[in-house]
Amino acid sequence: MNTGTSMQELEWWQKAVFYQIYPHSFADGNGDGIGDFYGMIDRLDYLQELGVGALWLSPHYPSPFFDCGYDVADYTGVAPEHGTLDDFKRFLNEAHQRGIRVILDLVLNHTSDQHPWFIESRSSRDNPKRDWYVWRDGKGGGPPNNWYSGFGGPAWEYDPATGQYYYHYFFKQQPDLNWRNPEVKQAMWDAVRFWLDLGVDGFRLDAVNTIFEDPALPDHAAEMSLPELYHQALQAASSEAGQAQLVRQTEVMFQYQREQPGMHELMQELRTVVDEYPDRMLVGETGEIAYYGDGTNELHLAFNFPLMKTTRITPTWVRANQQERLSALPPGAWPCNTLGNHDSPRVYSRYGDGQNDDALARLHLALMLTLRGTPFLYNGEEIGMTDLPLEDISQFRDNLGVWVYHTVVNELGMPPADALAYANYLGRDKCRTPMQWANVPNGGFSPAGVRTWLPVNPNDAQSVNVAEQLDDPDSLLSFYRRMLRVRKQNPALIAGDYTVLHEEAEDYLTFLRGSVADPSTGPSASSGHASGQAGQTCLVVLNMSDQAHTLNFDLDAHTAELVFSSHARGGDSDDLSQLTLAPFEIYIGEIKRKT
Ligand code: NOJ
């Protein structure tokens, strides 16, 4: 299914566990209610001890914050609320000193409408920057066509001063750049080089699939309006068939605005810019394998988003996902797994069952750290932070939630209480609340009495905080730290092939990670992994059920030496014809030939 790799052959971004920092919410060093670089610097020791090897920073650039930072007003600056460029440099340097790499968010599709480029562009039809954005004449007294913005409302905004419309895939405060203009590319590649020159290790590329539109601007042929689509989404939330129908309608609606020709050439061009610098990487906000190019010439990584698109992570779901994903990767391409980020519900809330949430959170981390590929974790996940639904629309900072609320109230006549629930469901504030550092006022994120930019989840008082969990060897945080160490110390879990076992099992997921797919022809008992490369084979068993199971592996000539278990086990070595697992047990054993 995939080719074994030795640790020596791997690049840093294949070995590291990435950790996403949402700068507004990670650590408030100057006590103003907003996260900043002072806070991030103070917490680097924490991150080092957690065991992460790389950080992805959501946008830290100056921004009016209409889309919570994804509306950039200066690509080479630092938002004053986060600090200065010197603070950033100190952060980068301190991270590097601890062996932690740093990648930045790169928002290519659009700028803020407050970016000087756009202010110039809209100033007159013959401004030299006019063509840096997508300006068109209206049609029949209205916009150029019937396209929607992915964030609601029409995709075209009329500009009375110059009598034309500009295109925005996201909010109207985020006008799309015209990537067909070579000057745009030049300006953006200059910004890319600016950060690479400072020593930044790479970029996470925002919204890569919306960079180009069909230049002929054909009308879409969807059978419903966007609010109707939202309404149906609500009704179909729990039905697979309803969801599939929605996906189809959405595809039709945005057919001419996503995944247009030109993307891959653009990514190749960006790759050559990044390749001017040794050891840098690109990861795309896309689930499309096509963005790996031929495996060497586009993005280094594309997220395995399909894995997240379920309400429950089950063994059957994971096996099917891996089967499809790994077999589709081009030669040399490296997988990349994640279950959460700043746009999706908290992993703990989303994939919990309300009864075994803690056990499931542990299983989900174990899955991330043992599947083949680079794992991305999201800040706060390690202490089990949960979604915080907001109580009033005035608390919302995510304008997507605000738009949803007003649309369903005004256009669909939904009662305000239901609309609030729906806005919380589709909005993203719930997963962006401040990091809970301690069981003290404001969760230790900001000093007592300071109004934090989003409310702190009050469950910091129920042990969902760093300080208490650090002191507790049984906490989720301690588990994260242990599991990250286990991954680092066992090369098979990083470099090894993935070979699925028990293909039909519904309750548990079992697979081998090793340099040799068939351990019966594999390493002898003496071929330990001390060399840190090929030779080690690990058996991973994730019991995702509340039932105990006794498993038989067809590996009679072998035993498994305990590498890790979430439960107390009788001894250090296990018979593979009869491996008994407790409910929700996570078991990792190193396969050794019997002597
Ligand atoms: C994807 C980002 O992750 C999301 O937060 C943002 O709203 C959109 N792109 C627009 O930039």
Side-chain angles (χ1 to χ4, degrees):
M1 184 175 271
N2 50 63
T3 339
T5 327
S6 77
M7 285 291 272
Q8 277 84 351
E9 287 170 62
L10 294 184
E11 305 287 347
W12 66 267
W13 47 268
Q14 296 173 296
K15 294 186 266 195
V17 172
F18 279 69
Y19 180 96
Q20 180 190 357
I21 288 186
Y22 195 71
H24 253 57
S25 283
F26 186 62
D28 174 11
N30 65 359
D32 64 355
I34 299 176
D36 48 48
F37 282 110
Y38 323 115
M40 282 187 242
I41 292 168
D42 285 348
R43 298 296 180 175
L44 281 170
D45 287 340
Y46 164 79
L47 294 169
Q48 188 181 28
E49 281 156 28
L50 180 59
V52 300
L55 304 174
W56 150 30
L57 256 53
S58 276
H60 67 284
Y61 312 99
S63 161
F65 219 63
F66 196 85
D67 186 19
C68 294
Y70 284 90
D71 44 330
V72 177
D74 173 4
Y75 284 89
T76 55
V78 171
E81 60 272 29
H82 295 151
T84 63
L85 190 58
D86 280 341
D87 297 325
F88 172 82
K89 288 182 191 165
R90 197 155 70 84
F91 164 76
L92 183 64
N93 182 33
E94 296 263 343
H96 282 168
Q97 279 181 13
R98 288 168 179 78
I100 299 177
R101 308 274 187 152
V102 177
I103 69 166
L104 302 180
D105 223 305
L106 184 63
V107 186
L108 299 173
N109 179 70
H110 50 270
T111 69
S112 159
D113 64 346
Q114 301 305 308
H115 195 296
W117 298 342
F118 187 69
I119 292 174
E120 270 197 56
S121 180
R122 81 187 309 174
S123 66
S124 75
R125 284 200 188 201
D126 53 12
N127 183 278
K129 291 215 167 45
R130 184 67 169 181
D131 191 43
W132 281 40
Y133 293 84
V134 184
W135 290 97
R136 292 288 183 279
D137 291 330
K139 220 171 73 185
N145 64 16
N146 68 354
W147 290 356
Y148 282 108
S149 148
F151 275 3
W156 298 97
E157 180 68 12
Y158 184 64
D159 181 53
T162 55
Q164 279 192 312
Y165 290 81
Y166 67 84
Y167 174 73
H168 55 96
Y169 182 82
F170 296 97
F171 294 121
K172 67 178 182 200
Q173 290 80 358
Q174 296 166 291
D176 271 45
L177 282 161
N178 173 16
W179 278 90
R180 295 197 164 83
N181 182 334
E183 290 177 12
V184 168
K185 280 199 230 171
Q186 203 45 54
M188 205 60 98
W189 298 165
D190 285 350
V192 164
R193 289 192 181 95
F194 171 85
W195 294 109
L196 294 175
D197 284 335
L198 286 184
V200 159
D201 298 289
F203 297 95
R204 174 265 190 191
L205 306 182
D206 186 67
V208 279
N209 65 347
T210 54
I211 287 181
F212 290 107
E213 308 70 52
D214 186 328
L217 309 187
D219 276 350
H220 73 73
E223 289 151 15
M224 56 180 84
S225 69
L226 193 62
E228 281 163 351
L229 196 74
Y230 270 88
H231 193 216
Q232 291 217 357
L234 188 58
Q235 291 172 330
S238 54
S239 120
E240 299 275 328
Q243 287 293 339
Q245 154 76 355
L246 277 174
V247 170
R248 272 193 304 279
Q249 280 298 316
T250 312
E251 275 167 8
V252 174
M253 187 173 282
F254 294 106
Q255 183 183 355
Y256 304 111
Q257 298 168 262
R258 294 178 181 170
E259 305 292 356
Q260 295 298 302
M263 274 317 305
H264 295 290
E265 291 75 6
L266 189 71
M267 291 299 107
Q268 285 159 22
E269 205 174 316
L270 175 56
R271 175 67 179 256
T272 57
V273 174
V274 169
D275 282 349
E276 291 166 11
Y277 298 77
D279 242 11
R280 315 298 165 99
M281 64 86 68
L282 295 169
V283 53
E285 190 212 4
T286 173
E288 297 294 330
I289 280 176
Y291 286 90
Y292 282 102
D294 68 6
T296 63
N297 65 348
E298 292 190 34
L299 307 186
H300 298 78
L301 298 174
F303 289 108
N304 177 7
F305 284 145
L307 181 65
M308 294 172 68
K309 297 206 167 118
T310 178
T311 47
R312 258 190 78 211
I313 305 288
T314 64
T316 310
W317 174 262
V318 176
R319 278 192 299 268
N321 167 272
Q322 292 296 293
Q323 162 69 34
E324 195 176 325
R325 193 86 188 162
L326 296 177
S327 57
L329 287 177
W334 188 252
C336 174
N337 299 301
T338 190
L339 287 177
N341 57 44
H342 66 294
D343 289 330
S344 57
R346 286 274 179 190
V347 178
Y348 198 91
S349 304
R350 180 176 192 178
Y351 301 120
D353 65 0
Q355 283 177 353
N356 305 290
D357 294 348
D358 192 73
L360 289 170
R362 289 169 198 236
L363 277 159
H364 297 144
L365 175 71
L367 180 70
M368 288 296 97
L369 298 189
T370 56
L371 283 180
R372 185 170 160 90
T374 300
F376 274 68
L377 312 176
Y378 177 49
N379 60 196
E381 194 181 288
E382 71 273 23
I383 52 170
M385 279 180 68
T386 56
D387 285 341
L388 178 68
L390 300 177
E391 290 167 2
D392 191 278
I393 195 66
S394 65
Q395 290 178 305
F396 278 61
R397 300 299 301 266
D398 179 9
N399 281 305
L400 182 60
V402 175
W403 177 81
V404 166
Y405 178 86
H406 291 300
T407 304
V408 296
V409 168
N410 298 332
E411 296 189 26
L412 304 177
M414 191 182 278
D418 294 350
L420 187 69
Y422 193 41
N424 271 312
Y425 170 66
L426 286 182
R428 302 162 295 174
D429 287 322
K430 61 179 180 284
C431 69
R432 297 175 177 178
T433 59
M435 183 79 182
Q436 296 159 210
W437 291 102
N439 178 10
V440 295
N442 269 335
F445 174 77
S446 297
V450 169
R451 181 142 187 249
T452 55
W453 80 283
L454 273 176
V456 175
N457 192 323
N459 67 7
D460 66 319
Q462 280 111 51
S463 306
V464 186
N465 69 73
V466 171
E468 283 176 327
Q469 293 198 22
L470 275 179
D471 289 341
D472 175 1
D474 295 327
S475 68
L476 186 59
L477 178 56
S478 298
F479 175 82
Y480 261 69
R481 287 159 51 121
R482 265 201 315 279
M483 276 296 305
L484 277 147
R485 264 202 311 278
V486 166
R487 178 182 157 93
K488 210 172 276 172
Q489 289 165 357
N490 289 278
L493 298 178
I494 299 173
D497 269 349
Y498 161 88
T499 309
V500 74
L501 308 170
H502 297 112
E503 296 195 29
E504 305 295 322
E506 288 183 3
D507 280 359
Y508 47 85
L509 181 68
T510 57
F511 54 91
L512 294 173
R513 293 294 315 279
S515 55
V516 185
D518 175 6
S520 60
T521 58
S524 69
S526 58
S527 69
H529 63 273
S531 60
Q533 52 159 338
Q536 190 192 29
T537 299
C538 283
L539 167 68
V540 179
V541 185
L542 305 178
N543 182 3
M544 297 186 164
S545 77
D546 58 4
Q547 304 294 312
H549 285 281
T550 298
L551 309 188
N552 174 22
F553 295 87
D554 218 2
L555 294 167
D556 290 348
H558 297 78
T559 55
E561 283 183 13
L562 187 64
V563 170
F564 178 85
S565 169
S566 53
H567 290 63
R569 295 196 64 85
D572 286 344
S573 178
D574 283 285
D575 180 353
L576 288 168
S577 64
Q578 221 182 3
L579 184 74
T580 300
L581 291 164
F584 298 117
E585 182 165 351
I586 296 157
Y587 174 90
I588 302 173
E590 182 172 351
I591 303 281
K592 296 275 173 107
R593 197 185 285 274
K594 282 182 187 159
T595 44

